[in-house]
Amino acid sequence: MGVLDRFEKGVERVVNNAFKVGRSEVKPVELASALRREVDDRAAVVDRDRTVVPNQFTIELSPDDYAQVDGWGAESLADELAANVTEHAASQHYAFVGPVSVSFEQNDSLDTGRFQLRSASVRGNVAPATASAPSARHPLVDIDGQRYLLTGPVTVIGRGSEADIVVDDPGVSRRHLEIRVTQDGVIATDLGSTNGLFVEGHQVPAATLLDGNSLTIGRTRIMFWTGAPENEEW
């Protein structure tokens, strides 16, 4: 099953009769195709092993199409489109510099069935781990099978929406754990959480992390990877 087939099935779960709209109206599959083309067209090679693509997308729609998308469930559709872009990027070995997001705006000058797409590369503290290998500068964490590349110097993990990585675990505090990347190493610090931070099974207020370390907050296990020797140059 191809990326587009999986996308259609995903959208069908959140959009009732999404592909039975009038011929002149924008269809979700058209938006997905446009996003993938935008990523391909704006791919920038920054070194031999790293090609960076946009991670934030804004889709401008006509008033009728905007109302249609709102009726389908704009947030759910945006999530499906973002997931589709992420999967496409992984298949092409592209890298992001921040989290992937898709949003919709109404443009009164557009006719029904027409849309415009804007994109940008906006750096964040985390990004989907697609093709980029972890390193001392940009470690990777795996949380319940979801992999994140730490692209900023400080990453907060917690249950609250203000965290850089949000964990759905009642045993995790809103701002539970900070991971700070420094020239002297990567340091994990408990941010005064209720249930504490455990590294390799030992409760600690803070610890310098090594490649392959296991962290536990609440009932959530976090694997930490740099993919490099401890003496890798900064």
Side-chain angles (χ1 to χ4, degrees):
M1 183 181 294
V3 171
L4 191 55
D5 293 328
R6 287 193 292 273
F7 170 74
E8 289 185 359
K9 288 188 177 295
V11 169
E12 285 173 353
R13 290 194 296 268
V14 297
V15 179
N16 291 327
N17 299 320
F19 301 103
K20 298 180 181 179
V21 298
R23 180 177 299 177
S24 63
E25 296 170 319
V26 167
K27 299 176 177 62
V29 69
E30 295 172 341
L31 301 178
S33 296
L35 287 167
R36 290 196 301 276
R37 286 195 302 271
E38 180 76 2
V39 165
D40 291 337
D41 290 345
R42 296 200 56 193
V45 178
V46 296
D47 59 43
R48 186 180 63 180
D49 300 317
R50 185 172 169 85
T51 300
V52 172
V53 294
N55 60 298
Q56 290 194 6
F57 305 88
T58 302
I59 301 173
E60 298 180 13
L61 299 167
S62 70
D64 287 344
D65 287 318
Y66 186 84
Q68 179 79 290
V69 166
D70 189 55
W72 291 338
E75 184 175 349
S76 295
L77 179 58
D79 289 344
E80 288 289 345
L81 289 168
N84 183 254
V85 168
T86 302
E87 186 174 359
H88 176 68
S91 72
Q92 300 300 313
H93 305 290
Y94 296 148
F96 298 108
V97 298
V100 178
S101 67
V102 177
S103 61
F104 302 102
E105 289 184 0
Q106 180 172 311
N107 185 333
D108 294 339
S109 68
L110 291 174
D111 295 330
T112 300
R114 300 285 185 179
F115 63 90
Q116 294 179 350
L117 176 60
R118 306 195 312 269
S119 66
S121 292
V122 180
R123 183 169 293 279
N125 287 337
V126 295
T130 50
S132 297
S135 65
R137 286 188 178 186
H138 301 300
L140 182 149
V141 294
D142 185 308
I143 304 176
D144 294 332
Q146 186 72 42
R147 299 164 68 237
Y148 302 90
L149 196 68
L150 307 187
T151 53
V154 179
T155 301
V156 174
I157 302 175
R159 184 168 47 84
S161 59
E162 67 273 19
D164 297 306
I165 301 177
V166 178
V167 177
D168 184 14
D169 180 343
V172 172
S173 297
R174 295 185 62 83
R175 289 171 52 87
H176 195 116
L177 165 67
E178 173 191 278
I179 298 179
R180 182 178 295 269
V181 180
T182 75
Q183 292 188 6
D184 297 321
V186 181
I187 302 170
T189 303
D190 184 352
L191 297 177
S193 67
T194 300
N195 294 320
L197 163 66
F198 294 79
V199 177
E200 298 298 331
H202 301 283
Q203 185 170 4
V204 294
T208 298
L209 300 179
L210 303 177
D211 185 46
N213 272 163
S214 172
L215 296 75
T216 303
I217 56 174
R219 296 182 178 179
T220 299
R221 185 186 185 204
I222 303 171
M223 293 301 300
F224 173 84
W225 305 103
T226 62
E230 294 177 39
N231 61 354
E232 179 188 36
E233 292 186 4
W234 183 262

Coordinates of all heavy atoms in Angstrom, one line a residue, residues 63-94:
P63 N -13.6 30.7 0.3 CA -14.6 30.6 1.4 C -15.4 29.3 1.4 O -15.6 28.7 2.5 CB -15.5 31.8 1.1 CG -14.6 32.8 0.5 CD -13.7 32.0 -0.4
D64 N -15.9 28.8 0.3 CA -16.6 27.6 0.2 C -15.8 26.4 0.6 O -16.3 25.5 1.4 CB -17.2 27.4 -1.2 CG -18.3 28.3 -1.5 OD1 -18.9 28.9 -0.6 OD2 -18.6 28.4 -2.7
D65 N -14.6 26.3 0.2 CA -13.7 25.2 0.5 C -13.3 25.3 2.0 O -13.2 24.2 2.6 CB -12.5 25.2 -0.4 CG -12.8 24.7 -1.8 OD1 -13.5 23.8 -1.9 OD2 -12.2 25.3 -2.7
Y66 N -13.1 26.5 2.5 CA -12.7 26.6 3.9 C -13.9 26.1 4.8 O -13.7 25.4 5.8 CB -12.4 28.1 4.2 CG -11.9 28.3 5.6 CD1 -10.6 28.1 5.9 CD2 -12.8 28.7 6.7 CE1 -10.1 28.3 7.2 CE2 -12.3 28.9 7.9 CZ -11.0 28.7 8.2 OH -10.5 28.9 9.5
A67 N -15.1 26.4 4.4 CA -16.3 26.0 5.2 C -16.4 24.4 5.1 O -16.8 23.8 6.0 CB -17.5 26.6 4.6
Q68 N -16.1 23.9 3.9 CA -16.1 22.4 3.7 C -15.1 21.7 4.6 O -15.4 20.8 5.3 CB -15.8 22.1 2.2 CG -15.8 20.6 1.9 CD -17.2 20.1 1.7 OE1 -18.0 19.9 2.7 NE2 -17.6 19.8 0.5
V69 N -13.9 22.3 4.6 CA -12.8 21.7 5.5 C -13.2 21.8 6.9 O -13.0 20.8 7.7 CB -11.5 22.4 5.2 CG1 -10.5 22.0 6.3 CG2 -11.0 22.0 3.8
D70 N -13.8 22.9 7.3 CA -14.2 23.1 8.7 C -15.3 22.1 9.1 O -15.3 21.5 10.2 CB -14.8 24.5 8.9 CG -15.0 24.8 10.4 OD1 -14.1 24.7 11.2 OD2 -16.2 25.2 10.7
G71 N -16.2 21.8 8.1 CA -17.2 20.8 8.3 C -16.6 19.4 8.5 O -17.2 18.5 9.2
W72 N -15.6 19.1 7.7 CA -15.0 17.8 7.8 C -14.3 17.6 9.2 O -14.2 16.5 9.7 CB -13.9 17.6 6.7 CG -14.4 17.5 5.3 CD1 -15.7 17.1 5.0 CD2 -13.7 17.8 4.1 NE1 -15.8 17.1 3.6 CE2 -14.6 17.5 3.1 CE3 -12.4 18.2 3.8 CZ2 -14.3 17.7 1.7 CZ3 -12.1 18.4 2.5 CH2 -13.0 18.1 1.5
G73 N -13.8 18.7 9.7 CA -12.9 18.6 10.9 C -11.5 19.0 10.6 O -10.7 18.2 10.2
A74 N -11.3 20.4 10.6 CA -10.0 20.9 10.1 C -8.8 20.4 10.9 O -7.8 20.1 10.3 CB -10.1 22.4 10.2
E75 N -9.0 20.3 12.2 CA -7.8 19.8 13.0 C -7.4 18.4 12.7 O -6.2 18.1 12.5 CB -8.2 19.9 14.5 CG -7.0 19.6 15.4 CD -7.3 19.9 16.9 OE1 -8.3 20.5 17.2 OE2 -6.5 19.4 17.7
S76 N -8.4 17.5 12.5 CA -8.1 16.1 12.2 C -7.5 16.0 10.8 O -6.6 15.2 10.6 CB -9.4 15.3 12.3 OG -9.9 15.2 13.6
L77 N -8.1 16.7 9.9 CA -7.5 16.7 8.5 C -6.1 17.2 8.5 O -5.2 16.6 7.8 CB -8.4 17.5 7.6 CG -7.9 17.5 6.1 CD1 -7.8 16.1 5.5 CD2 -8.9 18.4 5.3
A78 N -5.8 18.3 9.2 CA -4.5 18.9 9.3 C -3.5 17.8 9.9 O -2.4 17.7 9.4 CB -4.5 20.1 10.1
D79 N -3.9 17.1 10.9 CA -3.1 16.1 11.5 C -2.8 15.0 10.5 O -1.6 14.5 10.4 CB -3.7 15.5 12.7 CG -3.8 16.4 13.9 OD1 -3.0 17.4 13.9 OD2 -4.6 16.2 14.9
E80 N -3.8 14.5 9.7 CA -3.5 13.5 8.7 C -2.6 14.0 7.6 O -1.7 13.3 7.2 CB -4.9 13.1 8.1 CG -5.8 12.3 9.0 CD -5.2 10.9 9.2 OE1 -4.4 10.4 8.5 OE2 -5.7 10.2 10.2
L81 N -2.8 15.3 7.2 CA -1.9 15.8 6.2 C -0.4 15.9 6.7 O 0.5 15.6 6.0 CB -2.4 17.2 5.8 CG -3.7 17.2 4.9 CD1 -4.2 18.6 4.8 CD2 -3.4 16.6 3.5
A82 N -0.3 16.3 8.0 CA 1.1 16.4 8.5 C 1.7 15.1 8.6 O 2.9 14.9 8.4 CB 1.0 17.1 9.9
A83 N 0.9 14.0 9.0 CA 1.5 12.7 9.1 C 1.9 12.2 7.7 O 2.9 11.5 7.5 CB 0.4 11.8 9.7
N84 N 1.1 12.6 6.7 CA 1.4 12.1 5.3 C 2.7 12.8 4.8 O 3.5 12.1 4.2 CB 0.2 12.5 4.4 CG 0.4 12.1 3.0 OD1 0.7 12.9 2.1 ND2 0.3 10.8 2.7
V85 N 2.9 14.1 5.1 CA 4.1 14.8 4.8 C 5.3 14.1 5.5 O 6.4 13.9 4.9 CB 4.0 16.3 5.2 CG1 5.4 16.9 5.0 CG2 3.0 17.0 4.2
T86 N 5.1 13.8 6.8 CA 6.2 13.2 7.5 C 6.6 11.8 6.9 O 7.8 11.5 6.8 CB 5.8 13.0 9.0 OG1 5.5 14.3 9.5 CG2 6.9 12.4 9.8
E87 N 5.6 11.0 6.5 CA 5.9 9.7 5.9 C 6.6 9.9 4.6 O 7.5 9.1 4.3 CB 4.6 9.0 5.8 CG 4.8 7.5 5.3 CD 3.5 6.7 5.3 OE1 2.4 7.3 5.6 OE2 3.5 5.5 4.8
H88 N 6.2 10.9 3.8 CA 6.8 11.1 2.5 C 8.3 11.5 2.7 O 9.2 11.1 2.0 CB 6.0 12.2 1.8 CG 6.7 12.6 0.5 ND1 6.8 11.7 -0.6 CD2 7.3 13.7 0.1 CE1 7.4 12.4 -1.6 NE2 7.8 13.6 -1.2
A89 N 8.5 12.4 3.7 CA 9.9 12.9 4.0 C 10.8 11.7 4.4 O 11.9 11.6 4.0 CB 9.8 13.9 5.1
A90 N 10.2 10.8 5.2 CA 11.0 9.6 5.6 C 11.3 8.7 4.4 O 12.5 8.2 4.3 CB 10.2 8.8 6.7
S91 N 10.4 8.6 3.5 CA 10.6 7.7 2.3 C 11.7 8.3 1.4 O 12.4 7.6 0.7 CB 9.3 7.5 1.5 OG 8.9 8.7 0.9
Q92 N 11.8 9.7 1.4 CA 12.8 10.4 0.6 C 14.1 10.7 1.3 O 15.0 11.4 0.8 CB 12.2 11.6 0.0 CG 10.9 11.4 -0.8 CD 11.2 10.5 -2.0 OE1 12.2 10.7 -2.8 NE2 10.4 9.5 -2.2
H93 N 14.2 10.3 2.6 CA 15.4 10.6 3.4 C 15.6 12.1 3.6 O 16.7 12.6 3.7 CB 16.6 10.0 2.9 CG 16.5 8.5 2.6 ND1 16.4 7.6 3.7 CD2 16.3 7.8 1.5 CE1 16.2 6.4 3.2 NE2 16.2 6.4 1.9
Y94 N 14.5 12.9 3.8 CA 14.5 14.3 4.1 C 14.6 14.5 5.6 O 14.2 13.6 6.3 CB 13.3 15.0 3.5 CG 13.1 15.0 2.0 CD1 11.9 15.1 1.5 CD2 14.2 15.0 1.2 CE1 11.7 15.1 0.1 CE2 14.1 15.1 -0.2 CZ 12.8 15.1 -0.7 OH 12.6 15.1 -2.1

